[in-house]
Amino acid sequence: SRLRRIGMMLSSCCCPAPLALVDVKGFDPSDVTVTMRDGKVCVSAERKEEHNTCTGRACSYRRYTKEFCLPPSCCDKEVTYSV
C-alpha cells in the first residue's frame, strides 16, 4: 500500500552504530537499488504507475536518489543493507 513506510538501514561490522537510515516511502523493495563505489553509497529508487481512467490513461513516475560518503574507518566490503 502507498501508506506503508519502508526504511532502508545501512550498517557495517566495523562501525558500532548504523551508518544511515534512508526513508524510501512509497517504493517497493524491488524498486530500490543500492550501489557502492569509491567510498560512496548510492541509494536509488524508481517507480512508474499507469492507470486507466474514464477520460484516458494517467501515468505517474517517481525517482529518488541519495548519495553519501562512508566514514574512513569503513570498508566497502563490510557494508550491508536491509529493507
Coordinates of all heavy atoms in Angstrom, one line a residue:
S1 N 0.8 -1.2 0.0 CA 0.0 0.0 0.0 C 0.9 1.2 0.0 O 2.0 1.2 0.4 CB -0.9 0.0 1.2 OG -0.3 0.5 2.3
R2 N 0.3 2.3 -0.4 CA 1.1 3.6 -0.5 C 1.4 4.2 0.8 O 2.4 4.9 1.0 CB 0.4 4.6 -1.3 CG 0.1 4.2 -2.7 CD -0.6 5.2 -3.5 NE 0.4 5.5 -4.6 CZ 0.5 6.6 -5.3 NH1 -0.3 7.6 -5.0 NH2 1.3 6.7 -6.2
L3 N 0.7 3.8 1.9 CA 0.9 4.4 3.2 C 1.9 3.6 4.0 O 2.4 4.1 5.0 CB -0.4 4.4 4.0 CG -1.5 5.3 3.3 CD1 -2.8 5.1 4.1 CD2 -1.1 6.7 3.2
R4 N 2.3 2.4 3.5 CA 3.3 1.7 4.2 C 4.7 2.4 4.1 O 5.1 2.9 3.1 CB 3.4 0.3 3.5 CG 4.3 -0.6 4.3 CD 4.3 -2.0 3.6 NE 4.8 -1.8 2.3 CZ 5.2 -2.9 1.5 NH1 5.1 -4.1 1.9 NH2 5.7 -2.7 0.3
R5 N 5.4 2.4 5.2 CA 6.7 3.1 5.3 C 7.8 2.0 5.2 O 7.8 1.0 5.9 CB 6.8 3.7 6.7 CG 7.6 4.9 6.6 CD 7.3 5.7 7.9 NE 7.0 7.0 7.4 CZ 7.8 8.1 7.5 NH1 8.9 8.0 8.2 NH2 7.6 9.2 7.0
I6 N 8.7 2.2 4.3 CA 9.8 1.3 4.1 C 11.1 2.1 4.4 O 11.3 3.2 3.9 CB 9.9 0.8 2.6 CG1 8.6 0.1 2.3 CG2 11.1 0.0 2.4 CD1 8.5 -0.3 0.8
G7 N 11.8 1.6 5.4 CA 13.1 2.2 5.7 C 14.2 1.3 5.3 O 14.1 0.1 5.4
M8 N 15.3 1.8 4.8 CA 16.5 1.0 4.5 C 17.6 1.4 5.4 O 17.9 2.5 5.6 CB 16.9 1.3 3.0 CG 18.2 0.6 2.6 SD 18.5 0.8 0.9 CE 17.3 -0.4 0.3
M9 N 18.1 0.3 6.1 CA 19.2 0.5 7.1 C 20.5 0.1 6.5 O 20.6 -1.0 6.0 CB 18.9 -0.3 8.3 CG 19.9 -0.2 9.4 SD 19.9 1.4 10.3 CE 18.4 1.2 11.2
L10 N 21.5 0.9 6.6 CA 22.9 0.6 6.2 C 23.7 0.5 7.4 O 23.7 1.3 8.3 CB 23.4 1.7 5.3 CG 22.8 1.8 3.9 CD1 23.0 3.2 3.3 CD2 23.2 0.8 3.0
S11 N 24.5 -0.6 7.5 CA 25.4 -0.8 8.6 C 26.7 -1.5 8.2 O 26.8 -2.0 7.1 CB 24.6 -1.6 9.7 OG 24.3 -2.9 9.2
S12 N 27.6 -1.5 9.2 CA 28.9 -2.1 8.9 C 29.4 -2.8 10.2 O 29.1 -2.3 11.3 CB 29.9 -1.1 8.4 OG 31.2 -1.6 8.4
C13 N 30.1 -3.9 10.1 CA 30.6 -4.6 11.2 C 31.7 -3.8 11.9 O 32.0 -4.0 13.1 CB 31.1 -6.0 10.9 SG 32.5 -6.0 9.8
C14 N 32.4 -2.9 11.2 CA 33.5 -2.1 11.8 C 33.0 -0.8 12.5 O 33.7 -0.2 13.3 CB 34.6 -1.8 10.8 SG 34.0 -0.7 9.5
C15 N 31.7 -0.5 12.3 CA 31.2 0.7 12.9 C 30.0 0.3 13.8 O 29.1 -0.4 13.4 CB 30.6 1.7 11.9 SG 31.8 2.3 10.7
P16 N 30.1 0.6 15.1 CA 29.1 0.1 16.1 C 27.7 0.6 15.9 O 26.8 -0.1 16.1 CB 29.7 0.5 17.4 CG 30.6 1.6 17.2 CD 31.1 1.4 15.8
A17 N 27.6 1.8 15.4 CA 26.3 2.4 15.2 C 25.9 2.3 13.7 O 26.7 2.2 12.8 CB 26.3 3.9 15.5
P18 N 24.6 2.3 13.4 CA 24.2 2.2 12.0 C 24.7 3.4 11.2 O 24.9 4.5 11.8 CB 22.6 2.3 12.1 CG 22.3 1.9 13.4 CD 23.5 2.3 14.3
L19 N 25.1 3.2 10.0 CA 25.6 4.3 9.2 C 24.6 5.2 8.7 O 24.8 6.4 8.6 CB 26.4 3.7 8.0 CG 27.6 2.8 8.3 CD1 28.1 2.2 7.0 CD2 28.7 3.7 9.0
A20 N 23.4 4.7 8.3 CA 22.3 5.5 7.8 C 21.0 4.8 7.8 O 20.9 3.6 7.8 CB 22.7 5.9 6.3
L21 N 20.0 5.6 7.8 CA 18.6 5.1 7.7 C 18.0 6.0 6.6 O 17.9 7.2 6.7 CB 17.8 5.3 9.0 CG 16.3 4.8 8.9 CD1 16.2 3.4 8.6 CD2 15.7 5.1 10.2
V22 N 17.6 5.4 5.5 CA 17.1 6.1 4.3 C 15.6 5.8 4.2 O 15.2 4.6 4.1 CB 17.9 5.7 3.0 CG1 17.3 6.4 1.8 CG2 19.4 5.9 3.2
D23 N 14.8 6.8 4.1 CA 13.4 6.6 4.0 C 13.0 6.6 2.5 O 13.1 7.6 1.8 CB 12.6 7.8 4.7 CG 11.1 7.6 4.7 OD1 10.6 6.6 4.3 OD2 10.4 8.6 5.1
V24 N 12.6 5.4 2.1 CA 12.1 5.2 0.7 C 10.6 4.9 0.7 O 10.2 4.0 0.0 CB 13.0 4.1 0.0 CG1 14.3 4.6 -0.3 CG2 13.0 2.9 0.8
K25 N 9.9 5.8 1.4 CA 8.5 5.6 1.5 C 7.8 5.7 0.1 O 8.2 6.5 -0.8 CB 7.9 6.8 2.3 CG 6.5 6.9 2.5 CD 6.1 8.1 3.3 CE 4.7 8.5 3.1 NZ 4.4 9.7 3.9
G26 N 6.9 4.8 -0.2 CA 6.2 4.8 -1.4 C 6.8 3.9 -2.5 O 6.3 3.8 -3.6
F27 N 7.9 3.3 -2.2 CA 8.6 2.4 -3.1 C 8.6 1.0 -2.6 O 8.7 0.7 -1.4 CB 10.1 2.8 -3.3 CG 10.2 4.1 -4.0 CD1 10.5 5.3 -3.3 CD2 10.2 4.2 -5.4 CE1 10.6 6.5 -3.9 CE2 10.3 5.4 -6.0 CZ 10.5 6.6 -5.3
D28 N 8.4 0.0 -3.5 CA 8.5 -1.4 -3.1 C 10.0 -1.8 -3.0 O 10.8 -1.1 -3.6 CB 7.9 -2.3 -4.1 CG 6.4 -2.2 -4.2 OD1 5.8 -1.9 -3.1 OD2 5.8 -2.4 -5.3
P29 N 10.3 -2.8 -2.1 CA 11.7 -3.2 -2.0 C 12.4 -3.5 -3.4 O 13.6 -3.2 -3.6 CB 11.7 -4.4 -1.1 CG 10.5 -4.2 -0.3 CD 9.5 -3.5 -1.2
S30 N 11.6 -4.0 -4.3 CA 12.2 -4.4 -5.6 C 12.5 -3.1 -6.5 O 13.2 -3.2 -7.4 CB 11.2 -5.3 -6.4 OG 10.0 -4.6 -6.6
D31 N 11.9 -2.0 -6.1 CA 12.2 -0.7 -6.8 C 13.5 -0.1 -6.4 O 14.0 0.9 -7.0 CB 11.1 0.3 -6.6 CG 9.7 -0.2 -7.1 OD1 9.7 -1.0 -8.0 OD2 8.7 0.3 -6.5
V32 N 14.1 -0.5 -5.2 CA 15.2 0.1 -4.6 C 16.5 -0.6 -5.0 O 16.6 -1.8 -5.0 CB 15.1 0.1 -3.1 CG1 16.3 0.8 -2.4 CG2 13.8 0.8 -2.7
T33 N 17.5 0.2 -5.4 CA 18.9 -0.3 -5.8 C 19.9 0.4 -4.9 O 19.9 1.6 -4.7 CB 19.2 0.0 -7.2 OG1 18.1 -0.5 -8.0 CG2 20.5 -0.5 -7.7
V34 N 20.9 -0.3 -4.4 CA 22.0 0.2 -3.6 C 23.3 -0.2 -4.3 O 23.5 -1.3 -4.6 CB 22.0 -0.4 -2.2 CG1 23.2 0.2 -1.4 CG2 20.7 0.0 -1.5
T35 N 24.1 0.8 -4.5 CA 25.4 0.6 -5.1 C 26.5 1.3 -4.3 O 26.2 2.3 -3.6 CB 25.5 1.1 -6.6 OG1 25.2 2.5 -6.6 CG2 24.6 0.4 -7.5
M36 N 27.7 0.7 -4.3 CA 28.8 1.3 -3.6 C 30.0 1.4 -4.5 O 30.3 0.5 -5.3 CB 29.2 0.4 -2.4 CG 28.2 0.5 -1.3 SD 28.7 -0.5 0.2 CE 28.4 -2.1 -0.4
R37 N 30.7 2.6 -4.5 CA 31.8 2.8 -5.4 C 32.6 3.9 -4.8 O 32.1 5.0 -4.4 CB 31.3 3.1 -6.8 CG 32.3 3.3 -7.8 CD 31.8 3.6 -9.2 NE 30.5 4.3 -9.1 CZ 29.4 4.1 -9.9 NH1 29.5 3.1 -10.7 NH2 28.3 4.8 -9.7
D38 N 33.9 3.7 -4.8 CA 34.9 4.7 -4.3 C 34.5 5.3 -3.0 O 34.6 6.5 -2.8 CB 35.0 5.8 -5.4 CG 35.5 5.2 -6.7 OD1 36.2 4.3 -6.7 OD2 35.1 5.8 -7.8
G39 N 34.1 4.5 -2.0 CA 33.8 5.0 -0.7 C 32.5 5.7 -0.6 O 32.2 6.4 0.4
K40 N 31.6 5.7 -1.6 CA 30.3 6.3 -1.6 C 29.2 5.2 -1.7 O 29.4 4.3 -2.5 CB 30.2 7.3 -2.7 CG 31.1 8.5 -2.5 CD 30.8 9.5 -3.6 CE 31.7 10.7 -3.5 NZ 31.5 11.7 -4.6
V41 N 28.1 5.5 -1.1 CA 26.9 4.6 -1.2 C 25.9 5.4 -1.9 O 25.6 6.6 -1.6 CB 26.4 4.2 0.2 CG1 25.1 3.4 0.0 CG2 27.5 3.4 0.9
C42 N 25.2 4.8 -2.9 CA 24.2 5.5 -3.7 C 22.9 4.6 -3.5 O 22.9 3.4 -3.9 CB 24.5 5.6 -5.1 SG 23.2 6.4 -6.1
V43 N 21.8 5.2 -3.0 CA 20.6 4.5 -2.9 C 19.6 5.2 -3.9 O 19.5 6.4 -3.9 CB 20.0 4.7 -1.4 CG1 18.6 4.0 -1.4 CG2 20.9 4.1 -0.4
S44 N 19.1 4.4 -4.8 CA 18.2 5.0 -5.8 C 16.9 4.1 -5.9 O 17.0 2.9 -5.7 CB 18.9 5.2 -7.1 OG 19.3 3.9 -7.6
A45 N 15.8 4.7 -6.3 CA 14.6 4.0 -6.5 C 13.8 4.7 -7.6 O 13.8 5.9 -7.7 CB 13.8 4.0 -5.2
E46 N 13.1 3.9 -8.4 CA 12.3 4.4 -9.4 C 11.0 3.6 -9.4 O 10.9 2.4 -9.2 CB 12.9 4.2 -10.8 CG 14.0 5.1 -11.1 CD 14.5 5.0 -12.5 OE1 13.7 5.2 -13.4 OE2 15.7 4.7 -12.7
R47 N 9.9 4.3 -9.7 CA 8.6 3.6 -9.8 C 7.7 4.3 -10.8 O 7.6 5.6 -10.9 CB 7.9 3.7 -8.4 CG 6.6 3.0 -8.4 CD 6.0 3.0 -7.0 NE 4.8 2.2 -7.0 CZ 4.7 1.0 -6.4 NH1 5.7 0.6 -5.7 NH2 3.6 0.4 -6.4
K48 N 7.1 3.6 -11.7 CA 6.2 4.1 -12.7 C 4.9 3.4 -12.6 O 4.8 2.2 -12.5 CB 6.8 3.8 -14.1 CG 6.0 4.4 -15.2 CD 6.6 4.2 -16.6 CE 5.7 4.8 -17.7 NZ 6.4 4.6 -19.0
E49 N 3.8 4.2 -12.5 CA 2.5 3.6 -12.4 C 1.6 4.2 -13.5 O 1.6 5.4 -13.8 CB 1.9 4.0 -11.0 CG 2.6 3.4 -9.9 CD 2.0 3.8 -8.5 OE1 1.0 4.7 -8.6 OE2 2.5 3.4 -7.5
E50 N 0.8 3.3 -14.1 CA -0.1 3.7 -15.2 C -1.5 3.2 -14.8 O -1.7 2.1 -14.3 CB 0.3 3.1 -16.5 CG 1.6 3.6 -17.1 CD 1.9 3.0 -18.4 OE1 1.0 2.4 -19.0 OE2 3.1 3.1 -18.8
H51 N -2.5 4.1 -15.0 CA -3.9 3.8 -14.6 C -4.8 4.2 -15.8 O -4.6 5.2 -16.4 CB -4.3 4.6 -13.4 CG -3.4 4.5 -12.2 ND1 -3.4 3.3 -11.4 CD2 -2.5 5.3 -11.7 CE1 -2.5 3.5 -10.4 NE2 -1.9 4.7 -10.6
N52 N -5.8 3.4 -16.0 CA -6.8 3.8 -16.9 C -7.9 4.5 -16.2 O -8.3 4.2 -15.1 CB -7.5 2.5 -17.5 CG -6.5 1.8 -18.5 OD1 -5.7 2.5 -19.1 ND2 -6.5 0.5 -18.5
T53 N -8.3 5.7 -16.7 CA -9.3 6.5 -16.1 C -10.5 6.6 -17.2 O -10.4 6.1 -18.3 CB -8.8 7.9 -15.8 OG1 -8.5 8.6 -17.0 CG2 -7.6 7.8 -14.9
C54 N -11.6 7.2 -16.8 CA -12.7 7.3 -17.7 C -12.4 8.3 -18.8 O -13.0 8.2 -19.9 CB -13.9 7.8 -16.9 SG -13.7 9.4 -16.1
T55 N -11.4 9.1 -18.7 CA -11.0 10.1 -19.8 C -9.8 9.6 -20.5 O -9.4 10.3 -21.5 CB -10.8 11.5 -19.2 OG1 -9.8 11.4 -18.2 CG2 -12.1 12.0 -18.6
G56 N -9.1 8.6 -20.1 CA -7.9 8.1 -20.8 C -7.0 7.4 -19.8 O -7.4 6.8 -18.9
R57 N -5.7 7.6 -20.1 CA -4.7 6.9 -19.2 C -3.9 8.0 -18.4 O -3.7 9.1 -18.9 CB -3.7 6.2 -20.1 CG -4.2 5.0 -20.7 CD -3.2 4.2 -21.4 NE -2.7 3.2 -20.6 CZ -1.7 2.4 -20.8 NH1 -0.9 2.6 -21.8 NH2 -1.4 1.4 -19.9
A58 N -3.6 7.7 -17.2 CA -2.8 8.5 -16.4 C -1.5 7.8 -16.0 O -1.6 6.6 -15.7 CB -3.6 8.9 -15.1
C59 N -0.4 8.5 -16.0 CA 0.8 7.9 -15.7 C 1.6 8.8 -14.6 O 1.6 10.0 -14.7 CB 1.7 7.8 -16.9 SG 3.3 7.1 -16.7
S60 N 2.1 8.1 -13.6 CA 2.9 8.9 -12.7 C 4.3 8.2 -12.6 O 4.4 7.0 -12.6 CB 2.3 8.9 -11.3 OG 2.4 7.7 -10.6
Y61 N 5.3 9.0 -12.4 CA 6.7 8.5 -12.4 C 7.4 9.2 -11.2 O 7.3 10.4 -11.0 CB 7.4 8.8 -13.7 CG 8.8 8.4 -13.7 CD1 9.2 7.1 -14.0 CD2 9.9 9.3 -13.5 CE1 10.5 6.6 -14.1 CE2 11.2 8.9 -13.6 CZ 11.5 7.6 -13.9 OH 12.8 7.1 -13.9
R62 N 8.0 8.4 -10.3 CA 8.8 8.9 -9.2 C 10.2 8.4 -9.2 O 10.4 7.2 -9.5 CB 8.1 8.5 -7.9 CG 6.8 9.3 -7.7 CD 6.2 9.0 -6.3 NE 5.8 7.6 -6.3 CZ 5.5 6.9 -5.2 NH1 5.7 7.5 -4.1 NH2 5.1 5.7 -5.3
R63 N 11.1 9.2 -8.9 CA 12.5 8.8 -8.8 C 13.2 9.4 -7.5 O 12.9 10.6 -7.2 CB 13.3 9.3 -10.0 CG 14.7 8.8 -10.1 CD 15.3 9.2 -11.4 NE 16.6 8.6 -11.4 CZ 17.5 8.9 -12.3 NH1 17.2 9.7 -13.3 NH2 18.7 8.4 -12.3
Y64 N 14.0 8.7 -6.9 CA 14.6 9.1 -5.6 C 16.1 8.7 -5.7 O 16.4 7.6 -6.1 CB 14.0 8.5 -4.4 CG 14.7 8.7 -3.1 CD1 14.4 9.9 -2.4 CD2 15.6 7.8 -2.6 CE1 15.0 10.1 -1.2 CE2 16.2 8.0 -1.4 CZ 15.9 9.2 -0.7 OH 16.6 9.4 0.5
T65 N 17.0 9.6 -5.4 CA 18.4 9.3 -5.3 C 19.0 9.9 -4.1 O 18.8 11.1 -3.8 CB 19.2 9.8 -6.6 OG1 18.6 9.2 -7.7 CG2 20.6 9.4 -6.5
K66 N 19.8 9.2 -3.3 CA 20.5 9.7 -2.2 C 22.0 9.1 -2.2 O 22.1 7.9 -2.4 CB 19.8 9.3 -0.9 CG 20.5 9.6 0.4 CD 20.2 11.0 0.8 CE 20.8 11.2 2.2 NZ 20.5 12.5 2.7
E67 N 23.0 10.0 -2.1 CA 24.4 9.5 -2.2 C 25.1 10.1 -1.0 O 24.9 11.3 -0.7 CB 25.0 10.0 -3.5 CG 26.4 9.5 -3.6 CD 27.0 9.8 -5.0 OE1 26.7 9.2 -6.0 OE2 27.8 10.8 -5.0
F68 N 25.9 9.3 -0.3 CA 26.7 9.8 0.8 C 28.0 9.1 0.9 O 28.1 7.9 0.4 CB 25.9 9.8 2.1 CG 25.3 8.5 2.4 CD1 26.0 7.6 3.3 CD2 24.1 8.1 2.0 CE1 25.5 6.4 3.6 CE2 23.6 6.9 2.3 CZ 24.3 6.0 3.1
C69 N 29.0 9.7 1.6 CA 30.3 9.1 1.7 C 30.3 8.2 3.0 O 29.7 8.5 4.0 CB 31.4 10.2 1.9 SG 31.6 11.2 0.4
L70 N 31.1 7.1 2.9 CA 31.3 6.2 4.0 C 32.3 6.8 4.9 O 33.2 7.5 4.5 CB 31.8 4.9 3.6 CG 30.8 4.0 2.8 CD1 31.4 2.8 2.3 CD2 29.6 3.6 3.7
P71 N 32.2 6.6 6.2 CA 33.3 7.0 7.1 C 34.6 6.4 6.8 O 34.6 5.3 6.2 CB 32.8 6.6 8.5 CG 31.4 6.3 8.4 CD 31.1 5.9 7.0
P72 N 35.7 7.0 7.0 CA 37.1 6.5 6.6 C 37.3 5.1 7.2 O 38.0 4.3 6.7 CB 38.1 7.5 7.1 CG 37.3 8.7 7.4 CD 35.9 8.3 7.6
S73 N 36.8 4.8 8.4 CA 37.0 3.5 9.1 C 36.3 2.4 8.5 O 36.5 1.2 8.9 CB 36.7 3.6 10.6 OG 35.3 3.9 10.7
C74 N 35.3 2.6 7.6 CA 34.5 1.5 7.0 C 35.1 1.1 5.7 O 35.6 1.8 4.9 CB 33.1 2.0 6.8 SG 32.2 2.3 8.3
C75 N 35.0 -0.2 5.5 CA 35.4 -0.9 4.2 C 34.2 -1.2 3.4 O 33.1 -1.6 3.9 CB 36.2 -2.1 4.5 SG 36.7 -3.1 3.1
D76 N 34.2 -0.9 2.1 CA 33.1 -1.2 1.2 C 32.6 -2.6 1.3 O 31.4 -2.8 1.2 CB 33.5 -0.9 -0.3 CG 33.7 0.5 -0.6 OD1 33.5 1.4 0.3 OD2 34.0 0.8 -1.8
K77 N 33.5 -3.6 1.5 CA 33.1 -5.0 1.5 C 32.3 -5.3 2.8 O 31.6 -6.4 2.8 CB 34.3 -5.8 1.4 CG 35.0 -5.7 0.0 CD 36.2 -6.5 -0.1 CE 36.9 -6.3 -1.4 NZ 38.2 -7.0 -1.5
E78 N 32.4 -4.5 3.8 CA 31.8 -4.8 5.1 C 30.4 -4.2 5.3 O 29.8 -4.4 6.3 CB 32.7 -4.4 6.2 CG 34.0 -5.2 6.3 CD 35.0 -4.7 7.3 OE1 34.8 -3.6 7.8 OE2 35.9 -5.4 7.6
V79 N 30.0 -3.3 4.3 CA 28.8 -2.6 4.4 C 27.6 -3.5 4.0 O 27.7 -4.2 3.0 CB 28.8 -1.3 3.6 CG1 27.4 -0.6 3.6 CG2 29.8 -0.4 4.1
T80 N 26.6 -3.6 4.8 CA 25.4 -4.3 4.4 C 24.1 -3.4 4.5 O 24.2 -2.4 5.1 CB 25.1 -5.5 5.4 OG1 25.0 -5.0 6.7 CG2 26.3 -6.5 5.4
Y81 N 23.1 -3.9 3.8 CA 21.8 -3.1 3.9 C 20.7 -4.0 4.0 O 20.7 -5.2 3.6 CB 21.7 -2.2 2.7 CG 21.5 -2.8 1.4 CD1 20.3 -3.2 0.9 CD2 22.6 -3.2 0.6 CE1 20.1 -3.8 -0.3 CE2 22.5 -3.8 -0.6 CZ 21.2 -4.1 -1.1 OH 21.0 -4.7 -2.3
S82 N 19.6 -3.5 4.6 CA 18.4 -4.3 4.7 C 17.2 -3.4 4.6 O 17.3 -2.2 4.9 CB 18.3 -5.1 6.0 OG 18.4 -4.1 7.1
V83 N 16.1 -4.0 4.1 CA 14.9 -3.2 3.9 C 13.8 -3.7 4.9 O 13.7 -4.9 5.1 CB 14.3 -3.3 2.5 CG1 13.0 -2.6 2.3 CG2 15.3 -2.8 1.5

